[in-house]
Amino acid sequence: MSEPTDDHPPAPKPPRAWLRWLAIALIAGLVAERGVEEWQRHHRPPAKVVPASPQKKPKAAGEPGGDVQPLPVLSPEEERASFTIQPGFHAELVAAEPLIHNPVALAFGPDGRLWVCEMQGYMQDAAATGEKEPLGRVVILEDTDGDGRMDKSTVFLEGLVLPRAIALVRDGVLIGEPPHLWFCRDTDGDGKCDEKTEVDPKFALANQASPEHLPNGLLWAMDNSLYNVNSAVCYREKPDGGFDRLPTAFRGQWGIAQDDWGKLFYNHHVSHLYSDITPAAHYQDRNKFAPNEFGLSPLLTTDERVWPSHDTPGVNAGPAALVNGRLKLFTSACGPTVYRGELFPPEYRGNAFVCEPAGNLIKRNLLHQDRGVTKAENAAEGSEFFASSDERCRPVSLYTGPDGALWVVDMYCGIIEHKDYMRGYLKKHIHDRALDKPLGLGRLWRIVPDGAKPGPLPKLPRETAALVAELEHPNGWRRDTAQRLLVEGRDPAAAPALAQLFASTKSPLARLHALWTLHGLGQLDPALVDRALGDPESGLRAAAIRLSEDHLGDTPAMASRVIGMVSDPAAEVRLQALLSLGDVQGKEAIDALIDGLERGEENPYVQVAAWTGLGGRELQFIEAFLASPVSAARNPYQARMIRGLMFSMLSQRKPDRCLGLLDLVAGPHPPEVQSWLVAALAFLTETDLNGVRPLVLERAPAHWAELAGAVNQESLKEVADLFTWPGKVSQLEPEIVPFTPEEQTRFAEGKILYTQICATCHQADGHGLAGLAPPLVNSEWAVGSHQRLVRIVLNGVAGPIPVAGRIYYMEMPALATLNDDQIAAILTYIRREWEHTGDPVAPAEVAEIRAAVGPRDHPWNVKLLHRFK
């Protein structure tokens, strides 16, 4: 949960220590009869009590002369007193130590039991001592007396190393313990695992090592797939047992959720809320050369402000991260959920809640649609939905429970930052406040409206008819779980019951679940899809278009209907129609795309949707576009569309296709059209294609010579310099100094190391991975200054950072553990591969920069890197 800033302002003024301890003692006496609190008090570290002077503000940890005391551990009741929750709500304790320890994720069982994933080995001290020890567990909690509080804990599985993901499936549970994904079962009913099967030995990518960047999530989503974040893989149950491992987009960092319509939500540590633009990742993968400044998931809000309820000196970046002693921006965003329950007032339904454990708070976001794309904004200015003044309160995951409450997983620990990213300032703060002890704490809370009565978790029926009826329930977890149980059950009676529900229910969400449940069963009738295409609910029409894709290739009538939906009044429906039509061949589909783009006006997401499906058909589309009435009134939006298609074609570096594009540009067009086309290509030479090595063509483009005098000659020359052909050389042809034998050996070694260490994120072809790593191909950072590039590898870099015309917000971890020869080899490789013309990097140069940098323990940012030439 790393932070991109470098320094910190002064720390806050604490309350008088003797008053704090007196209050703690009084409260402790009142609750001494509770076993959990008694256990907690016995595990408190000794603390030296030094009253703070009322005249002089104590200095913070890390400041010379700081008068800082160890931070006391609060019992659950004392911690609850530290909460500030939006009026009208309160928190109820569900479980605490010794029932659970270091909880990070949970899963609700349809039988009313609660499954909790414990990451007990995480950061036992500031040096991460014992991190690889098998201390993690999965426990099952039960409320045996029905009072809403767990009172029984059974260890289902222990001996795990930093487990972080859990999902109930079939008659067992999936557990993510990177690099392993296990399917575990209790076959004799004693609550303990006695059958453990490996589903995927590559649950984590080969070079993923830091616990902050390992897969987690395992969300059963609307489309019957299990999704993770920090992963480019999803899973789907096979009808006959086992799981399919399927590629998907790389999403987020910690935690994943879905809304009522199946849209996925996630985040990165400093950017607290993203969601998919498209409902399926495969759309963006259809054409990896299409320009897409958003990737799969745009940031829903640029407002990253947070408002803790207390001074927060213990954040990683130090004083620069604070305003008046308090954290000012997200630094550890994680564990999002979209509220889908029935217990909160109606205005809370569909709100997105996000944890910020470094600031001990939970943010509430209001979501709304803007031209078919989700946007978010703070629900309240200057305050948060939930905040604690206890620094050990660490909300890390959120869930909408089967009871309609908002469930909070509180890791309750002193250290939340991993050692790989921990800076000296925070290490001293942890030491001075004794935050590394005690270990093994943790709490689960549920936030409920005032007046709500605590009670046991509901139990779902298992009969098919009753599960079908559950699809009409207002609680999202109950609908999702009923859908999963129906898909897993494979009861032949389910399909007709689901079709009947679709026909009779007044709930659009029930109709949606009926469709996806039938799809999961392999029993979705095309006639039912056709009926759904005309549903009065726009979200259902959009889902029906997506579900129609199985039939578009062999059902002309359905394809024609989808083509007609590019004129749907709802933006989300038009967007989905454009996405789905990308896989439909023929002139009618091309014409529909043109029509849909016109209706999309200047919406960039609409253009991205069209681009993804036009790979290999760009020239056909441009020709049709130029012949259409739309092109009669060219505007910046249309120019952007054509430039994007040209960029896609030129990026593929296929001489025959590029020659076809130049033939089209030089063809017989009205003068203003010809000038406009040449200008569009010239624009790319000034931006996206700057620095690309000229491409060799077998002949001159037809009618190219006739362009002389007809268009702007400077623009024409800029375009021509992107290519060479017989009788013509390019002014951009670089002078490449051949490698020496030693440098060539270094290049070959670098290729091997790149494949082993870097390719998982940046990809073997150097084009990067959306949501994870930017491209290296034609990157100004990859082929630019050695001083900057070596520093990025040694210490990492934190976004925002511009790469090849786009902004990336992720953080690259440091690779300082590589030796000078290895770093030089990798950098020499990327500076000369993929038609790059950069000079090699020598080990001695890496050693010199390493010595100049010294013991830097945090990543660079763009401003600092630009100091080096």
Side-chain angles (χ1 to χ4, degrees), residues 570-593:
E572 62 188 306
V573 177
R574 297 195 300 270
L575 184 65
Q576 181 60 58
L578 290 172
L579 289 166
S580 297
L581 289 175
D583 291 323
V584 178
Q585 303 297 312
K587 183 179 183 303
E588 189 179 6
I590 291 286
D591 291 342
L593 288 173

Side-chain angles (χ1 to χ4, degrees), residues 102-176:
N102 301 99
V104 293
L106 61 80
F108 301 99
D111 57 0
R113 296 189 299 172
L114 190 64
W115 299 64
V116 181
C117 189
E118 300 180 344
M119 193 189 285
Q120 292 199 46
Y122 181 75
M123 294 306 294
Q124 299 179 76
D125 56 30
T129 302
E131 184 174 86
K132 302 300 183 183
E133 295 178 11
L135 303 176
R137 308 187 309 178
V138 170
V139 300
I140 305 174
L141 302 182
E142 297 179 67
D143 172 11
T144 62
D145 58 10
D147 66 351
R149 186 162 174 172
M150 301 298 166
D151 48 53
K152 179 182 178 182
S153 178
T154 302
V155 178
F156 173 76
L157 179 65
E158 55 189 347
L160 300 170
V161 178
L162 301 182
R164 74 261 320 288
I166 184 168
L168 300 183
V169 294
R170 292 202 299 269
D171 59 345
V173 58
L174 285 172
I175 299 172

Side-chain angles (χ1 to χ4, degrees), residues 3 5-6 316 421-423 795-796 855-860 864:
E3 303 165 11
T5 49
D6 272 332
N316 197 34
Y421 302 99
M422 190 184 296
R423 306 179 189 180
N795 306 111
R856 183 181 179 88
D857 64 353
H858 51 286
W860 300 96
L864 292 174

Side-chain angles (χ1 to χ4, degrees), residues 711-795:
V711 298
N712 181 283
Q713 293 304 293
E714 184 177 348
S715 295
L716 189 64
K717 182 180 181 303
E718 290 174 352
V719 172
D721 273 340
L722 293 174
F723 309 94
T724 64
W725 55 74
K728 175 194 167 298
V729 297
S730 170
Q731 299 300 312
L732 301 179
E733 190 68 50
E735 294 184 10
I736 304 175
V737 178
F739 281 162
T740 65
E742 179 185 0
E743 291 166 347
Q744 188 62 50
T745 299
R746 192 181 309 146
F747 174 91
E749 293 172 349
K751 182 174 184 178
I752 296 172
L753 290 169
Y754 176 86
T755 302
Q756 295 171 341
I757 300 170
C758 314
T760 304
C761 297
H762 290 287
Q763 302 294 282
D765 60 6
H767 284 286
L769 191 60
L772 173 63
L776 298 177
V777 175
N778 301 321
S779 163
E780 59 269 42
W781 301 98
V783 298
S785 163
H786 289 200
Q787 292 288 328
R788 298 172 186 167
L789 188 57
V790 172
R791 280 173 168 81
I792 288 173
V793 175
L794 286 174
N795 306 111

Side-chain angles (χ1 to χ4, degrees), residues 789-844:
L789 188 57
V790 172
R791 280 173 168 81
I792 288 173
V793 175
L794 286 174
N795 306 111
V797 61
I801 180 171
V803 182
R806 302 179 188 176
I807 302 297
Y808 292 82
Y809 293 90
M810 291 71 72
E811 181 173 313
M812 172 183 163
L815 296 174
T817 54
L818 298 176
N819 64 40
D820 299 338
D821 289 322
Q822 291 171 320
I823 292 176
I826 292 172
L827 298 185
T828 296
Y829 171 73
I830 69 172
R831 291 175 62 80
R832 191 59 67 90
E833 184 64 304
W834 310 306
E835 301 189 48
H836 289 168
T837 60
D839 52 341
V841 176

Side-chain angles (χ1 to χ4, degrees), residues 442-482:
R443 289 91 192 256
L444 301 179
W445 305 92
R446 58 181 165 205
I447 299 177
V448 298
D450 294 343
K453 295 181 179 179
L457 288 172
K459 299 180 180 181
L460 262 61
R462 302 308 290 259
E463 300 79 14
T464 294
L467 288 174
V468 171
E470 282 286 326
L471 299 180
E472 293 189 278
H473 200 281
N475 184 284
W477 178 89
R478 295 180 68 140
R479 295 195 309 276
D480 294 347
T481 304

Side-chain angles (χ1 to χ4, degrees), residues 209 253 277 301 356 369 646 672 691 742 821 850:
Q253 188 167 353
I277 297 176
T301 175
E356 171 44 275
Q369 297 298 307
M646 290 178 170
E672 69 276 10
E742 179 185 0
D821 289 322
R850 191 193 293 266

Side-chain angles (χ1 to χ4, degrees), residues 13 42 119 289 351 377 403 482 571 603 656 658 668 731 792:
K13 180 177 180 180
H42 283 246
M119 193 189 285
F289 296 104
N351 290 183
E377 62 183 28
D403 55 356
N603 186 341
D656 57 333
C658 291
Q731 299 300 312
I792 288 173

